[in-house]
Amino acid sequence: MQNTLMLKILPDHEQRNILLETMEVFNDSCNDISRTVFDNGFPNKYELHRLVYYSVKDKYRLPSQLVVRAISKVAESYKADRTRIHEFDRHGSIIYDQRILSFKGPDSVSMNTLHGRIRMPMIFGEYQRQRLSRVHGQADLIFRNNAFYLAVVVDLPEEPEYEPIGYIGVDLGVKNIATTSDDRNHSGDAVRQKRIATAKHRNRLQRRGTRSVKRRLKKISGKEKRFQRIVNHGISKGIVAEAKGTGRGVALEDLININQKTVVRRRQRYMRLSWSFRQLRSFIEYKARASGVPIKIVDPHNTSRECPKCHSIDKRNRKNRDRFKCVRCGYGGEADYVASLNIRSRAAVNQPTVA
Ligand SMILES: [Zn+2]
């Protein structure tokens, strides 16, 4: 199983300028190569190499391996779309392979640039440290929020999946980010408060509507995402550890239901929420896979309307957003918890596999 790590590089002032210049020259050369591709009726990678290698190398003074990477970047890009000329962002990524990048110990990296090889420190957490030994061949140099990162793909060892003795049903929601059938609430309070504060700040800025405001809005949304990410990491870790510790699997609803049951009027807000759900789900799934915890995806229909006791399904069972009360047998409870019970019981049933 593969995962992408973001390693932050810490260049000094001079190194930073070198990286930036390398990136800009690299992408300028990509744009040059791109015109050749377009003007010459989309030659394949080998023909392209013959057409541009020496001229690009002379004109841009790039090390040969970076010329090769530029040709490759442009050729890959045209594989997907040949209807128009492609333009490359000045600060678009550079793919480094092992010939032009090497990790020196756990916290420094050596990279080829326009001005020779430079060695720079990097920072990363314990999480990355454990996995750096499993780095794959290449790393993407990325410039984001005024900082340089290396995006590297690592192999995570997967533990063999065990036979679960039952499942923890997990209901994902807005108010309660995750509710489990163990009656544990992973409240969205902190996230929601942050969201409200951020929304207010955003509105104030939007009323002003200048260009610098746009930049600040972008920064706010970055902060919000990072906060949400930390929360999602914590929740998913807790759920997976709980399942593993008790020999159970994790049951989740098929994703479509999240969209159906979340009443969100404004599209922008919907996009943010939907992004967060998908992230939490994917965190649960990959943490589970890494530690051998079985995941079961269940049919999401009516999980919030079915009675977990007598299994009658009725719209009126759901009094309001928070409360469930069965109109047939009288069973009542907190709505998200009831949904998680239904998710659990659906996972326990041996469902036929749909091929
Ligand atoms: Zn009932």
Side-chain angles (χ1 to χ4, degrees), residues 171 173-177 179 183 185 187 189 192 261 263 303-305 315-326 331-340:
D171 178 67
V174 180
K175 190 174 179 197
N176 303 306
I177 299 180
T179 306
D183 205 8
N185 245 325
S187 166
D189 278 352
R192 206 167 60 254
K261 76 179 175 189
V263 184
T303 47
S304 56
R305 291 174 177 174
K315 214 197 279 190
R316 294 167 298 164
N317 286 348
R318 186 77 180 256
K319 294 267 171 237
N320 54 45
R321 212 221 69 83
D322 296 325
R323 293 299 298 173
F324 179 97
K325 188 147 172 67
C326 178
Y331 174 87
E334 200 263 315
D336 292 339
Y337 174 59
V338 165
S340 74

Side-chain angles (χ1 to χ4, degrees), residues 11-25:
D12 63 27
H13 184 69
E14 191 191 346
Q15 289 171 329
R16 184 193 149 84
N17 288 340
I18 291 174
L19 283 184
L20 214 49
E21 190 191 350
T22 303
M23 200 169 228
E24 287 164 4
V25 172

Side-chain angles (χ1 to χ4, degrees), residues 21 72 97 102 115 128 158 161 171 185 213 219 256 269 300 305 336 344:
E21 190 191 350
S72 189
D97 64 24
S102 50
H115 304 293
Q128 279 102 329
E158 269 176 66
E161 206 174 282
D171 178 67
N185 245 325
V213 162
K219 202 170 162 186
I256 45 169
R269 181 160 170 249
R305 291 174 177 174
D336 292 339
R344 181 183 67 183

Side-chain angles (χ1 to χ4, degrees), residues 307-312 317 324 326-331:
C307 172
K309 208 171 163 195
C310 73
H311 299 290
S312 78
N317 286 348
F324 179 97
C326 178
V327 290
R328 199 167 114 193
C329 76
Y331 174 87

